[in-house]
Structure formats: structure tokens, C-alpha cells
Amino acid sequence: MINSVFNTTVEGPQSLPLQDVFAKIAGVSDGYDNKVTQENTYGMDNNMA
Amino acid sequence: MSINFNESSKQGAEKLTPDIKDNGEDPLEKSKRTGERTRFIHKPNPLVERSYQIFEYDFKKGDYEHAGDYVLIKKDEKSEVTEKKLINLMTLLNGKDDLIDISNLTSTRVLFTLVPEAQAGDQTKIILKDYDGSGVSKENAIFTIRKGVLHDKFSV
């Protein structure tokens, strides 16, 4: 019989800084720079010129 | 016979969800069947289209408890993008860092806003937004999680 306590694994820290979590989410989801490069329409450098 | 009971937990959420998609098994049922526990898991909300429920394992109760929601506002977002965002979010909440890069699937920048505590009640509420370079950013999704899972590192 398998002991249900033995094979229980709970991972993860107690509390995470939300700014760090969503900065990472944003970091891997950011396709905006691709769009800037491809279309050369947006982007602050154009506006500043 | 040798069984590694912790194998699924080590894999993290990014491995858990594709398994769900592959065999259609409910993540809660799977955890009960296998006895393996990941702290946070997500599953589609059966009552709200394009929304997900987030469950946290309660060690004292020995079962998963509803801990939050992810409600997609931008209903025309590709399911693949939404699902991978959720997987990344669960990965981070589970203390892991191996995220899926989905920048090639979007043409927008992700912004986020923390809803003030007075309005969010007993939950932490974050509004995710898309910025495509024109006009103002548009709301993408609302993520809520029980207070205490995340904290504002700039609050005093």
C-alpha cells in the first residue's frame, strides 16, 4: 500500500514578488520589438529623429 | 518494481499541461490518481469561456483548493498563446524558471497593473495588458490569486 504522505511533494516558495513574476512573463511574451523591426513603424527612435 | 513518485513534480507545470492536452485527463484527477503534487495547477473554467481556474495544494487538507482565476478579456487571442502564458505563470508560481518563449507568437508588449488592495479585496489582482505601439494599451486578461502568494515588493 502506498503511503499518500510519502509520495506527496509540494514545491514553491511561500510568497513571490509580483513585479518579478510578471516582468518575467512579459519578458518571454514580448513580440513588440519584432514588430518594430519588421514594420519600422513604431518605436521611440523614429519619433526622436 | 521501482516507481519514482516525484517525477511529475520535478517536471513542473510546463510538462503537466501538455500531458493534460495529450490524454485529456483532468489535472485534479491525475494528482489523486498518481499521488503527485505540484503546488499550483490550472484547468479551464467549465463555466466561463477562455478562463482558467488556479488551484493550490493544501497540505493540511490533502487536496487542491481554488486559489485564483485567469480571465481572458481579449477573446480573439490564440488559445496556444493563452495556454503558454498560463503554463509560464504556473511555472513561476511553482518556483521554477524554465519558461516558454512565446515572443514569436505575439506582436505586442505585455504590460501589467496591480489593482489597489482596497479594490481587490482579499485577493491580489493583476490586469495584464497588450501594447501594440498604437494608442493606449488594451486589457488582455485579469489574474487573481489569493493574497499572500504574491507580494508587492515596493509597498511599505
Side-chain angles (χ1 to χ4, degrees):
Chain A
M1 180 177 174
I2 297 169
N3 182 335
S4 62
V5 175
F6 174 74
N7 64 1
T8 295
T9 301
V10 181
E11 297 180 7
Q14 289 301 307
S15 181
L16 294 164
L18 66 94
Q19 287 87 356
D20 293 352
V21 168
F22 286 95
K24 288 176 182 174
I25 294 290
V28 294
S29 308
D30 186 358
Y32 177 71
D33 288 335
N34 296 336
K35 183 174 183 174
V36 172
T37 305
Q38 289 164 9
E39 299 182 3
N40 197 26
T41 301
Y42 309 110
M44 297 181 72
D45 287 343
N46 291 341
N47 296 332
M48 291 168 67
Chain B
M1 185 171 70
S2 174
I3 302 173
N4 183 353
F5 293 111
N6 295 327
E7 191 174 336
S8 177
S9 297
K10 285 177 181 174
Q11 288 174 345
E14 79 288 349
K15 293 291 184 186
L16 181 62
T17 303
D19 288 345
I20 296 164
K21 289 172 72 176
D22 288 343
N23 59 24
E25 185 173 11
D26 184 291
L28 296 180
E29 294 304 318
K30 182 181 178 182
S31 73
K32 290 173 184 173
R33 178 176 60 80
T34 62
E36 296 161 352
R37 304 287 185 265
T38 301
R39 183 181 175 194
F40 289 99
I41 60 174
H42 72 283
K43 58 182 287 188
N45 187 326
L47 301 176
V48 185
E49 186 185 7
R50 304 299 306 275
S51 295
Y52 296 82
Q53 295 173 306
I54 294 154
F55 295 89
E56 181 181 15
Y57 187 73
D58 186 324
F59 193 78
K60 291 178 182 173
K61 293 182 179 176
D63 203 354
Y64 281 95
E65 294 282 314
H66 179 250
D69 293 281
Y70 186 95
V71 179
L72 186 69
I73 296 172
K74 187 186 175 187
K75 300 293 187 187
D76 60 348
E77 182 174 85
K78 289 180 183 175
S79 296
E80 179 189 9
V81 173
T82 310
E83 182 70 17
K84 285 181 176 174
K85 278 184 189 172
L86 258 297
I87 292 169
N88 281 341
L89 194 50
M90 293 303 106
T91 299
L92 290 169
L93 291 180
N94 284 316
K96 300 179 190 305
D97 230 5
D98 45 344
L99 304 179
I100 306 167
D101 189 335
I102 57 171
S103 60
N104 60 336
L105 300 175
T106 74
S107 58
T108 56
R109 178 162 292 163
V110 175
L111 308 174
F112 60 92
T113 304
L114 173 64
V115 175
E117 207 167 289
Q119 297 172 32
D122 62 349
Q123 291 187 311
T124 301
K125 182 179 287 188
I126 290 124
I127 300 174
L128 292 160
K129 300 178 180 181
D130 287 335
Y131 178 65
D132 66 1
S134 59
V136 298
S137 56
K138 299 178 181 69
E139 291 186 352
N140 175 281
I142 298 175
F143 170 68
T144 54
I145 195 81
R146 75 163 176 80
K147 196 176 283 183
V149 174
L150 299 173
H151 67 270
D152 181 357
K153 69 178 183 180
F154 298 121
S155 70
V156 289

